[in-house]
Amino acid sequence: MDKAFDRLLVRGGNTLRGVVRMEGAKNAALPVLAACLLADGESRILGVPELDDVGTMCSVLRRLGGAVSRTAADEVVVRFDGIRTSEAPQDLVRKMRASVLVMGPLLARTGLARACLPGGCAIGARPIDLHLKGFALMGAAVTCDRGFVEVSAPRLKGTRIYLDYPSVGATENLMMAASLAEGFTCIDNAAEEPEVVDLANFLCCMGARVTGAGTKMIRIEGCDSLRPTTYSIIPDRIEAGTFMTAAAIAGGDVLVQNVVVEHVKPIIAKLLDAGCEVSEDPEGSIRVVGPDRPRATDVRTLPYPGFPTDMQPQMMALLSVAGGVSMVTETVFENRFMHVDEFKRMGANIHVDGRTAVVRGVDHLTGAVVRATDLRAGAALLIAGLRSHGTTEILGVQHLDRGYSDFAGKMRSIGAEVVRAREAATEAFLESAATRRLDL
Ligand code: EPZ
C-alpha cells in the first residue's frame, strides 16, 4: 500500500503514563542478517523487529540466493545453499544504505562483491571509503567505475587495519570479511557500539573467533568455514531513548521495558540533566518521570559510549521547550539538522551555526504541518507535537516505518493522542480531537 499520503496527527497536551515494551534493535538485526551469508544452512534469528529496513535486508538476501521467512512475530529464518550472485541488488542498495553490509560476507564467501555506491541521504554523504580501504588492506582489488564498486580477492589475508574514524558499518563489514580470512586481523580504532558487539557475538556463535568487540581493538582469527546458528538480538536502545524522551517532554511517568540499561546510560545522563527522575531495574526496565518543564542542557553527539547521534533530534525536541538555552553539537554526521526548520514551523527558537545548534527554550510549541526528513527526525517531530498547543500533522511517515514498528500505536498505548491517518481522515481527526474522540 502506498504510504506516501499517510501522516501522523498528534494533538498535544496529554501526559504520558503506562508501560511500553521495546523491540529488538534494527541496527543489530541488519548486520546479523547480512552475516547469515557467511554459512550455508539455516540460521534462526530471534528478536527481529518488523520494520521496512529489515524487510529490505531480507529482500537483499533473497536476491543473493537465500530463502528468508518470518516464522513468528519477531523471528526470521534464513537459509543459504550456496550464493547465487555476488552483486548486491542496485535498487535495494539505493533504497537502504545498510545493504552494503553484504559486501564483507560476499567477498569472504565468493571472492567477489559488487555494489552501486550507496550515495548520500538527508543526514550526510555517507561514503564507504573506510570499508573499501579495509578490504584493500586485506588483499582485495578495489575498483570504482561509473558509480559501482567491485572488490575481489581469491582469499582475504588477515592484517592490521586502523580506522580513521570508528565507523560502525566499516567495523561490521570488516569483522565479517575477516572471519573467513587467512590468519589474524586486528581492527584498531573500531566502533564500540552495542550493535557491533551483538554482531561479534553472532559470529562467535557461528564458530568465528572474535575477541575485543566493544573496545577499540577487535581481533579476528580467520576460519575456513562457519556454521549457521540460532541467535537472539539485543533490544533497541534508540527506540528506548525515543520513548524515554517522549515521557520527559510530556511530563509523564512511563515504564520502558526490554532495555539493556548499560546501552542507554548516555541518554539517562542527559534526561537527568534535563530534570527527569529516572530509575532502572535489573530486569531491564527504565522508569522516566518527566518534570513540569525540562531544564536546558548541552548535548554533543559522539561515537558510543558518547551520546548517540540517532537520539540528537529527539533530544533537541525536548530542549526546544526547556527553561533556558542549550547547545546541541552534532559531531558524527555533517548534515543532521534538517529537522530544525520543521521545529521552527512549530515555534521553536533554534539557530544553527555549522555543527552546533543554539536552542533557546520556549514556553510551548504550536501544532503545524511538518515533514519528517529521516526516521529519527520523524520521531522527534512527534515528540515535539506532544508538547504543542493544537494538532501537529507529520508528513513523510514512510521514514518512520524504516525504524519504528507501530510507533503511533505504542505512543497511544501510553496516552498520546496520535493517529496515523490517510488523506481522508485528516478532517475527521481534527473534529474527533476537538471532541477528544479518536476512534478513526
Ligand atoms: C550506523 O550507520 C547506523 N546505521 C546509523 O543509524 C547511525 O547513525 C550510525 O551508525 C552512527 O552511529 C546502521 O547501523 C544500519 P558510520 P553507519 O559508518 O554505519 C563517516 C539510524 O537512524 N564514514 O559510523 O553508516 C560517515 O559519513 C541510522 O538508525 C566515512 O566517512 O555510520 C559518518 O559521518 C542513521 N567513511 C560517520 O563516519 C566510511 O567509510 C559515521 O558513520 C564510513 C563512515
Side-chain angles (χ1 to χ4, degrees):
M1 185 190 337
D2 181 3
K3 303 176 184 174
F5 297 106
D6 282 13
R7 57 201 57 206
L8 285 183
L9 296 159
V10 52
R11 189 179 182 85
N14 287 21
T15 301
L16 300 188
R17 292 187 186 289
V19 181
V20 64
R21 182 173 179 76
M22 299 297 97
E23 313 286 341
K26 167 177 84 82
N27 291 348
L30 295 177
V32 165
L33 287 167
C36 293
L37 278 158
L38 290 166
D40 279 346
E42 185 170 284
S43 286
R44 184 176 296 273
I45 318 297
L46 310 176
V48 179
E50 295 202 63
L51 302 170
D52 287 2
D53 275 7
V54 169
T56 302
M57 181 58 84
C58 292
S59 299
V60 171
L61 297 183
R62 292 188 188 100
R63 301 270 280 276
L64 296 174
V68 186
S69 54
R70 187 172 280 275
T71 49
D74 68 349
E75 184 180 302
V76 170
V77 172
V78 180
R79 176 178 191 79
F80 273 98
D81 295 301
I83 291 174
R84 180 189 308 147
T85 170
S86 294
E87 176 154 353
Q90 179 178 349
D91 56 321
L92 298 180
V93 173
R94 287 185 185 284
K95 183 178 178 185
M96 183 183 70
R97 181 184 184 288
S99 306
V100 296
L101 290 173
V102 302
M103 290 187 73
L106 286 174
L107 178 59
R109 277 289 307 276
T110 69
L112 174 68
R114 182 176 157 79
C116 68
L117 289 169
C121 65
I123 60 179
R126 310 293 295 275
I128 59 168
D129 56 308
L130 298 177
H131 304 231
L132 301 179
K133 179 179 171 187
F135 292 144
L137 287 170
M138 296 172 79
V142 178
T143 53
C144 292
D145 179 31
R146 285 173 292 175
F148 278 84
V149 62
E150 189 169 290
V151 288
S152 59
R155 174 107 196 251
L156 293 170
K157 292 195 176 14
T159 186
R160 187 180 191 85
I161 299 167
Y162 182 85
L163 291 178
D164 298 344
Y165 183 89
S167 154
V168 171
T171 302
E172 292 168 343
N173 236 336
L174 295 170
M175 203 161 53
M176 290 187 280
S179 64
L180 288 177
E182 186 181 332
F184 276 93
T185 298
C186 287
I187 303 175
D188 199 352
N189 196 30
E192 301 171 86
E193 273 70 2
E195 294 76 24
V196 171
V197 177
D198 216 25
L199 174 62
N201 291 338
F202 177 69
L203 291 172
C204 290
C205 289
M206 296 179 85
R209 300 187 196 109
V210 183
T211 55
T215 74
K216 286 236 164 278
M217 177 76 81
I218 301 178
R219 287 182 179 79
I220 307 104
E221 180 184 358
C223 302
D224 292 334
S225 65
L226 297 176
R227 59 181 181 270
T229 187
T230 295
Y231 190 75
S232 187
I233 60 170
I234 55 172
D236 194 317
R237 62 191 169 104
I238 304 301
E239 186 186 25
T242 302
F243 279 89
M244 290 159 66
T245 309
I249 201 171
D253 182 348
V254 175
L255 184 69
V256 180
Q257 293 183 323
N258 195 28
V259 185
V260 176
V261 175
E262 177 71 17
H263 295 168
V264 294
K265 273 169 54 177
I267 302 167
I268 292 173
K270 277 300 148 191
L271 293 181
L272 290 172
D273 286 352
C276 297
E277 291 172 30
V278 183
S279 49
E280 51 204 70
D281 79 36
E283 301 310 307
S285 295
I286 291 189
R287 182 180 176 196
V288 176
V289 177
D292 290 341
R293 185 177 186 187
R295 284 199 299 260
T297 184
D298 295 341
V299 177
R300 170 183 288 270
T301 68
L302 288 167
Y304 193 88
F307 188 87
T309 176
D310 292 348
M311 276 298 303
Q312 179 258 101
Q314 299 91 311
M315 197 68 198
M316 190 183 283
L318 178 66
L319 298 174
S320 68
V321 293
V325 181
S326 306
M327 305 283 280
V328 178
T329 304
E330 172 57 60
T331 73
V332 176
F333 288 105
E334 70 270 22
N335 186 38
R336 199 171 200 166
F337 283 146
M338 303 280 279
H339 40 282
V340 169
D341 286 343
E342 302 305 310
F343 285 146
K344 285 177 165 177
R345 291 175 193 279
M346 301 171 73
N349 181 345
I350 304 171
H351 172 70
V352 172
D353 180 6
R355 293 243 181 164
T356 296
V358 179
V359 183
R360 291 180 174 81
V362 295
D363 291 339
H364 63 82
L365 298 171
T366 306
V369 179
V370 292
R371 178 174 292 278
T373 47
D374 72 87
L375 73 152
R376 308 303 177 186
L381 288 167
L382 189 143
I383 288 171
L386 295 173
R387 185 88 177 226
S388 295
H389 289 183
T391 299
T392 300
E393 199 173 322
I394 304 170
L395 312 179
V397 173
Q398 69 277 13
H399 290 292
L400 269 167
D401 292 338
R402 297 188 57 171
Y404 292 95
S405 62
D406 191 21
F407 194 53
K410 285 193 178 104
M411 280 288 180
R412 257 200 316 277
S413 74
I414 51 177
E417 265 193 75
V418 57
V419 67
R420 178 168 183 146
R422 299 188 70 76
E423 193 76 30
T426 305
E427 289 311 314
F429 172 82
L430 296 176
E431 190 278 318
S432 65
T435 57
R436 290 309 208 215
R437 181 174 51 78
L438 275 174
D439 53 358
L440 285 175

